[in-house]
Every structure is written in structure tokens, then in C-alpha cells.
């Protein structure tokens, strides 16, 4: 008999290397509360300290575990190539299926998108957080937040940065 345990609840982090932010390190743990505060990088050339204070009591996130930044955005992990493939196949089949294939493709894309895993990504350091609780909710990407963090508060017109970050903030209007 073989035993192939499937984790019931797990989280995955994509963390930028402290010395080389372009390099992303993957870290998996058995749920939000299995994380430790300190880790070595895979090559043991640096130490990481996670900002576990940003984790809520319910296993959600108020901010980034890698840098402590308060601004996160939600991104669907839906491979665009898959969506395009479905549309192309449906278009090829369209004349033979009385164009029903197009409707099926639209429905399929919709379902895939809705069920796709969602990452919470940090505006400041690009760290990715998967598998955390849905509350507090973080809206999708907002260009004005990204530009403010890059160029400074005065560089962008419009409403100022939200106090306390993006936790439970409304979706951007643009
Ligand atoms: Zn961050």
C-alpha cells in the first residue's frame, strides 16, 4: 500500500532574495500558522525575517510578509496562454459547430478565471502570497498606488494613499 499524503491546507510564498531582489524564492508551509519568523535562503547566503505581524488571527494578511509593506493587490494566477488557446480552438471549430464552440469557450474561460488561484502581490517588493484567508480583502492592481510608491506622494494626482494600506479597500475605479 502506498501513502501519498495531500496537504489539506497549505500556503506558498514567493519571496525576493534579500541581496538580489530579482531572484524569487518559493516557500511552502502547512497553512498560514506554520510559518516561522526566520529562514535561511536556499543557498544559505542570507537570512530572511518574515513580518508575521502582518498576518491576521484568521490567517489573512494586512500587509506583506516579506517587507511589511501595507499595500497588496490581488492577481489571478490564470495563464493567459491557456485562455488564448481555448479561444483559438473554439474559433477553428466554430463553422462546424454552428458557432456553439465560441459560447462554450467563453463559458470555459469564465469558469477557469473564477476558479483560478489568487495571489496577493506586494507593490513594494513584488512578494507573492498564496493560500491565505480571503479576509481582509485586497483589491486588484491600482496603477496610482504603484506610481506613488515609485515616484513619491506628490507625483500622482488624485486621492491620497489610503491610511493603513489596501486591506479591505474598495476596488480602483479605473
Ligand atoms: Zn513586500
Amino acid at each position: 500500500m502506498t501513502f501519498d499524503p495531500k496537504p489539506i491546507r497549505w500556503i506558498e510564498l514567493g519571496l525576493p532574495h534579500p541581496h538580489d531582489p530579482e531572484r524569487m524564492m518559493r516557500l511552502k508551509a502547512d497553512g498560514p500558522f506554520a510559518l516561522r519568523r526566520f529562514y535561511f535562503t536556499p543557498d544559505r547566503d542570507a537570512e530572511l525575517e518574515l513580518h508575521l505581524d502582518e498576518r491576521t488571527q484568521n490567517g489573512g494578511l494586512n500587509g506583506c510578509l516579506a517587507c511589511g509593506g501595507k499595500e497588496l493587490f490581488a492577481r489571478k494566477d490564470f495563464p493567459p496562454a491557456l485562455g488564448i488557446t481555448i479561444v483559438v480552438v473554439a474559433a477553428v471549430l466554430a463553422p462546424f459547430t454552428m458557432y456553439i464552440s465560441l459560447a462554450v469557450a467563453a463559458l470555459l474561460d469564465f469558469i477557469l478565471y473564477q476558479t483560478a488561484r489568487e495571489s496577493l502581490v506586494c507593490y513594494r517588493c513584488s512578494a507573492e502570497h498564496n493560500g491565505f484567508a480571503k479576509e481582509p480583502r485586497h483589491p486588484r492592481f491600482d496603477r496610482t498606488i504603484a506610481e506613488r510608491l515609485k515616484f513619491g506622494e506628490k507625483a500622482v494626482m488624485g486621492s491620497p494613499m489610503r491610511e493603513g494600506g489596501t486591506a479591505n479597500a474598495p476596488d480602483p475605479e479605473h
Side-chain angles (χ1 to χ4, degrees):
M1 202 176 82
T2 57
F3 179 52
D4 178 20
K6 296 254 185 307
I8 295 167
R9 182 175 167 78
W10 54 272
I11 54 117
E12 185 173 358
L13 297 175
L15 301 167
H17 190 285
H19 302 162
D20 179 11
E22 296 289 301
R23 220 160 92 206
M24 276 287 184
M25 303 173 296
R26 314 302 302 184
L27 172 65
K28 266 195 183 188
D30 200 0
F33 298 101
L35 284 169
R36 292 155 183 255
R37 187 170 287 273
F38 294 99
Y39 287 93
F40 273 120
T41 57
D43 300 334
R44 292 198 156 243
D45 53 353
E47 272 181 37
L48 285 175
E49 183 182 357
L50 295 185
H51 293 251
L52 295 185
D53 305 343
E54 302 302 331
R55 182 183 58 190
T56 67
Q57 285 185 343
N58 303 321
L61 290 175
N62 281 325
C64 174
L65 291 181
C67 74
K70 298 286 185 197
E71 286 80 24
L72 304 174
F73 64 91
R75 185 184 66 199
K76 290 271 189 188
D77 288 338
F78 177 59
L82 180 63
I84 293 166
T85 307
I86 291 170
V87 170
V88 168
V89 170
V92 171
L93 293 177
F96 309 104
T97 60
M98 298 173 68
Y99 298 92
I100 292 168
S101 62
L102 291 178
V104 173
L107 187 66
L108 208 57
D109 271 353
F110 177 77
I111 292 167
L112 279 174
Y113 188 77
Q114 292 301 316
T115 54
R117 206 171 61 156
E118 202 172 68
S119 283
L120 291 175
V121 186
C122 176
Y123 281 100
R124 293 171 198 260
C125 76
S126 310
E128 297 165 11
H129 312 72
N130 284 303
F132 289 84
K134 296 254 181 281
E135 290 292 323
R137 203 180 150 271
H138 294 268
R140 60 194 156 80
F141 183 76
D142 183 344
R143 189 179 43 80
T144 60
I145 294 176
E147 286 177 1
R148 257 189 208 103
L149 290 173
K150 203 167 167 188
F151 304 115
E153 191 66 42
K154 292 193 174 68
V156 184
M157 305 285 282
S159 53
M161 278 280 254
R162 194 163 175 275
E163 198 78 34
T166 53
N168 289 326
D171 269 312
E173 286 153 24
H174 34 84

